[in-house]
Every structure is written in C-alpha cells, then in structure tokens.
Amino acid sequence: MKFIHEEFMLENTSASRLYHEYAEKQPIIDYHCHLDPQEISEDKSWENITQVWLYGDHYKWRAMRSNGIDERFCTGTASDWEKFKSFSEIMPFLLRNPLYHWSHLELARSFKIDNLLLSEKTAQEVWDRSSEILQDGLSARQLMKNNNVLAVCTTDDPADSLEHHIKISESESFTRVLPTWRPDNALAIEKESWPGYIRRLSEVSDTDISSYDDLIESLSKRHRFFHDTGCRLSDHSLETFFITDYNAKEVRNIFTKAVAGKSVSIEESRKFKTALMLEFGRMDAEKGWTKQMHIGALRNNSSRMYNILGPDSGFDSIDDQPVARPLGRLLDMLDRENSLPKTILYNLNPKDNEVIATMIGNFQDGRIAGKIQFGSGWWFMDQKNGIERQIEALSQLGSLGRFVGMLTDSRSFLSYSRHEYFRRILCSIIGRDMEAGMIPDDFQLAGKLVEDICYGNASRYFGFDLNQD
C-alpha cells in the first residue's frame, strides 16, 4: 500500500466520511504565513526541488544537523543536488517526526510522487520526476491555485512599501494576497539597531520622529496605509507578555533616551513596550482588525551560529516563562477602555494550553462569536500530538465550533499540505468520538463543525468577503 493514500491518518470509517465529504474540498484561507509577496507578484518558478523545498526551511536544516549533516549541505555552498541528496539520506531516521509526514505529503500533492519513500536510494528518481514537474511550469501562483487557496496574509513590517501587494491587487488574481501588520521592530527598543529603524520609519511615513508622540503619529499613518492596502490583521511575536505600570512622561523620556542611542534598562523597556502594545491594540480595534500574538519562543540560542547565519536559521526552541498574569492584565487593560480587538493567541509551550483556553473565555463580549481565539498548534506544536492537544483543550474549556482553524506559518509554497494534515487529524478526532458515542452519530451535525473549522469560521471571522466563483 502507498504510504500517502486516500485514508492516510483517517482512523475509522466516520473519520473517512467526514474528511472526504466535508473537509477535503474546502478552500484554504492561509491567514498567517511568511511567504515573500514579491515571489507571488512575479510568479516565481524554480529550477529544482531544492530551491522550492530546502531554501529557507529551518525545520529541515535542524533535522539535517541532528543527523550529522555538515552546514555546507544545509545553508552553505554545496550544490542543490548535494543538498537534496543529503536531506534524502536522513529521511529513514525521521520516522515519527512530522517532517516525514509533511515531506511525503508535499511530494504527493505538488509533484505527484506517491509511490516512493524518500531515501538515499530514491533521491535521484525523486529529483528527476520533480524537475520535470517544475520545468513544466509549476510556479508560485500555480501552487496556490492547485491548492484552492482563496487568500493568504503575509507578514510585513510597518516600514514596508507593500508595493508587491499593490501590484498583485491590480492584476488578475484568483487569490487575495493581503499584508499583515507586524510591528516587532518598533517594539525592540533594547536593540542597537532600533534608532536606525526609527529613522527608516520616519522616512517612509514622511514624519519627523523626534518624540514619542511623533512615533505614534508615524505608526498611525502606516497603520492607515496598511488598512487601505487591504490589511485586516496584525501580529506580534513575543517571548512573553510585558505589562508594567507607567506614565506618559516616563515613556516620552525613555523614547528620547533610546532614540539617541543610549541603552535602556529592562524596566524601561517593559514600560515602553506596555505603552506601545496598548496603542497597537487601540489602532487595531478602531479599524476592526484581528490581533494575533505568538508567544513562547526562545530564539537564537546558539550565539555562534547566530553570528554566522543570523535569525530564523533553526536555533530556536520552546521557552517556559509564565504568561497567565501578564496576558490577563494586557487583555483587561484594553477591555476596560473598550479597545480590545478580535484576538488570536498562539502559545508554543503546551504547558500553557489550558491557560490560554481558559483565558479566552474571560474576554468574550457576547457581540462577536469567538472574538478571542485559542490559535492552532504553532511551530513545534504544528504536529499530530500538538494539534490534538490544542483541539482537546479548546474543546473542553471553550467552543471548538467557533475555532478559525489552521494556517501554514511557512515560507514555502509547498506547505499548503499542512492544511490537509490538520484536516485529517481533525476528522479523526471527531470520527473517533462519533464511533465511541461521545458525540452524536450525526454527519450533518459533525460535518458542519468540520466545514466551519476548515473554512467557514475563518471566512466569517476575518470578513474578507471572498467569492468562490
């Protein structure tokens, strides 16, 4: 039997029916990803599978390093063939790792290779067959079309021009490509690069940023520009939540100190970030946006490799800082002034699953169904066990039927198979409960739940006004 087949990961007949009748054909709204909008605008194509599969994929690099593969074959000067062959060689050692599932799903769905297990023995055949597909015109937009992607939201800095989003919106496109406001650089007051970033922000916003009030004016201008370009979501990547009492005079003085290139203390940094996070919340609420907050990553642990390769190169891990009290306080401060936007919370440490699942119930306002969301399993939790644990916590402590579902959080155009992966796991969970008598044996009822989680809830929640015709 083929490894990737019609019933892959579907544990029983109920799961199979739910997937094939209710989940499989649903369109994709990929509301958080790290795709390069320029590659979509220019409809990027690739010469070989390494370029589309291994370039920029820190998941695969980590696995290769763990299996004794030299850095030259990960991010270094080895040829594309050598890099692909090296990755192929380690695949038999990745059984039970989600990369084994993802990789074979991607080969099956994007390259029609479902009769081979990737290994050193099959590397040449997979290379040749995938090259034929790529040379036949498999491009960025074609991959999105093949996967029935109706919308993607990229991740963009407030200082970005959004020129490629604008070009895409002016072209004939079956997929909406929208920016996402990610102001992490504006928050990073403790970094040496921060004054330079403020100068860049000053230029693009045509605002002389010489005070904290000027900074807020500049960011507000860029926020409006993002909104006019179609943006409806913001995103923050946070190690944890930093909520500290402050007053306006303190924050203005901290800004003046930092913009002059002087170092700030941890306490000063937290006060500044608290003030700015509240401002961002107000901006999002005023525009009707959805705020996303990703918490729990401990980044760039290897200073040696960071100095060589920089960030996002596969040296991050799960952090274990406490989140409940500062998160509750942040949400409460915004809620008190009626400035709490729709919010999705993603935690990276599974110890916080029940914390997040109960926290979202504190700030539902009875006006927007599922206003505060417990986001899908993220990064290291984007695998079978992590997805199941997130769904279990949300089911028991919240309302699974309002869940806005899966996203890729990826830099790769091949990663849409992660939506299929999620949908198969979801259907197995619901099918298992149906056959155990834990929920009614009613496919109309359970199927509606599956359809909503796969597509319908996201379509309504984000208000993209998508047309499937």
Side-chain angles (χ1 to χ4, degrees), residues 339-357:
S339 296
L340 180 61
K342 291 184 292 185
T343 300
I344 306 176
L345 303 171
Y346 307 87
N347 64 285
L348 194 53
N349 195 324
K351 76 176 179 60
D352 297 320
N353 281 357
E354 283 73 21
V355 170
I356 301 299

Side-chain angles (χ1 to χ4, degrees), residues 269-288:
S269 174
R270 287 176 176 171
K271 288 184 177 185
F272 179 83
K273 290 179 178 182
T274 299
L276 212 51
M277 283 296 290
L278 293 174
E279 289 291 348
F280 291 144
R282 294 170 188 134
M283 292 179 194
D284 291 351
E286 191 271 330
K287 287 289 192 294

Side-chain angles (χ1 to χ4, degrees), residues 241-245 270 274 277-278 326-327 329-330 333:
F241 296 97
F242 27 73
I243 298 298
T244 304
D245 291 329
R270 287 176 176 171
T274 299
M277 283 296 290
L278 293 174
L327 170 58
R329 192 170 179 209
L330 172 62
M333 292 172 76

Side-chain angles (χ1 to χ4, degrees), residues 241 293 295 323-332 345 356 359:
F241 296 97
M293 290 189 280
I295 58 170
V323 301
R325 290 182 183 274
L327 170 58
R329 192 170 179 209
L330 172 62
L331 297 177
D332 184 57
L345 303 171
I356 301 299
M359 184 64 72

